[in-house]
Amino acid sequence: VSFPWQKREISNFDYLMYLNTLAGRSYNDYMQYPVFPWVLADYHSETLNLTNPHTFRDLSKPMGAQTVERKHKFIQRYNEVEKNLSAQCHYCTHYSSAIIVASYLVRMEPFTQTFCSLQGGNFDVADRMFHSVKSTWESASRDNMSDVRELIPEFFYLPEFLTNANHFELGCMQDGTVLGDVQLPPWADGDPYKFILLHRQALESDYVSAHLHRWIDLIFGYKQHGSAAVEAVNTYHPYFYGDKMDLNNVKDPLIKSTILGFISNFGQIPKQV
């Protein structure tokens, strides 16, 4: 049996939204917001070549395993089970959470207020704010061991979230850069509309269409947990697997509230589809 998506009768974007909906994720809940993949690895070229496989992120691997060095560090963490961790896992942070969603959309209301309330009433330190697509990719794919974030659907259709049209004072980075519009890759020519257009073309490209099922296996499918997840370097702290935890059996109210708080603040694995 071949499905409409396999026959290319629906777009990759629509299929991902469909899977997110099936997995209980929606725009109504920052804690279970639709999750979309990083699809590109090229944020430095003057022009974007969608026929070159090296332009793209490896969709068969989670963000924590995009480089060999980083992958080995997470495997080492899994094998060592550091003393301050209560459970064996590769990642203690999640690829989608309320704060990640609000940080991406911080230049637009009502997300500005949401972000500030999650931060205790203020914007974050400027250097930690979402200010550059390239530096966010480098952090999530290579540089920052506590950052394995993926994307949100807006990266593929909403140019407005990339501009500081409301002129919020987002602060100044240590190198003196004043935060304003999001810095775009050279191939976008500083134009948010061009960025969205090319980014959507990348999502619908032949390369992504041929490999997207591998990412779906990691996020929504059989590589989500169990031995397949261990093998794929794709295991998260047990608290992230909300539907796998029977909170009714947790008698200690303090532990129960800790688990619920953890899930609320740090993210949740989608329901398996």
Side-chain angles (χ1 to χ4, degrees), residues 13-233:
F13 182 91
D14 287 341
Y15 186 57
L16 287 171
M17 284 304 295
Y18 173 69
L19 289 174
N20 272 286
T21 304
L22 275 184
R25 301 184 82 87
S26 78
Y27 290 120
N28 300 328
D29 186 349
Y30 293 154
M31 292 175 283
Q32 294 196 76
Y33 207 76
V35 56
F36 269 59
W38 288 95
V39 292
L40 293 172
D42 181 354
Y43 298 96
H44 54 269
S45 297
E46 293 295 326
T47 56
L48 194 60
N49 182 358
L50 297 180
T51 61
N52 181 355
H54 296 296
T55 298
F56 297 92
R57 166 256 180 103
D58 187 341
L59 287 157
S60 70
K61 296 184 174 72
M63 289 304 290
Q66 290 296 309
T67 70
V68 174
E69 183 187 359
R70 196 171 193 231
K71 176 183 168 184
H72 286 154
K73 282 182 184 172
F74 282 121
I75 292 172
Q76 188 179 2
R77 173 192 279 177
Y78 181 89
N79 291 334
E80 284 174 359
V81 190
E82 296 163 17
K83 291 178 181 64
N84 62 339
L85 293 179
S86 58
Q88 191 173 37
C89 61
H90 294 109
Y91 313 116
C92 299
T93 55
H94 200 259
Y95 48 77
S96 175
S97 66
I99 194 69
I100 289 171
V101 172
S103 70
Y104 280 145
L105 299 172
V106 70
R107 289 163 178 79
M108 294 172 60
E109 291 288 16
F111 303 98
T112 313
Q113 294 306 314
T114 302
F115 182 83
C116 289
S117 65
L118 288 168
Q119 284 289 341
N122 303 301
F123 289 120
D124 198 359
V125 176
D127 286 81
R128 289 203 299 260
M129 296 276 285
F130 171 52
H131 66 276
S132 154
V133 179
K134 177 174 181 275
S135 66
T136 303
W137 160 255
E138 289 170 349
S139 170
S141 66
R142 188 187 71 200
D143 296 341
N144 185 346
M145 289 292 283
S146 62
D147 183 2
V148 292
R149 76 184 68 186
E150 292 279 8
L151 298 183
I152 54 175
E154 284 82 354
F155 272 86
F156 301 95
Y157 70 82
L158 190 72
E160 286 79 8
F161 89 97
L162 298 164
T163 62
N164 187 21
N166 293 319
H167 306 293
F168 292 119
E169 292 187 13
L170 301 170
C172 186
M173 293 168 65
Q174 286 184 343
D175 65 4
T177 305
V178 177
L179 260 58
D181 296 346
V182 175
Q183 293 170 13
L184 302 174
W187 45 259
D189 297 325
D191 181 351
Y193 289 86
K194 186 172 182 181
F195 172 82
I196 295 291
L197 177 70
L198 291 173
H199 203 217
R200 183 66 173 264
Q201 286 177 3
L203 178 66
E204 305 299 342
S205 67
D206 289 341
Y207 179 90
V208 172
S209 297
H211 295 86
L212 187 58
H213 65 282
R214 297 175 181 273
W215 182 82
I216 290 167
D217 287 340
L218 294 167
I219 306 298
F220 300 107
Y222 78 104
K223 291 185 179 176
Q224 223 187 44
H225 54 83
S227 58
V230 176
E231 202 175 315
V233 195

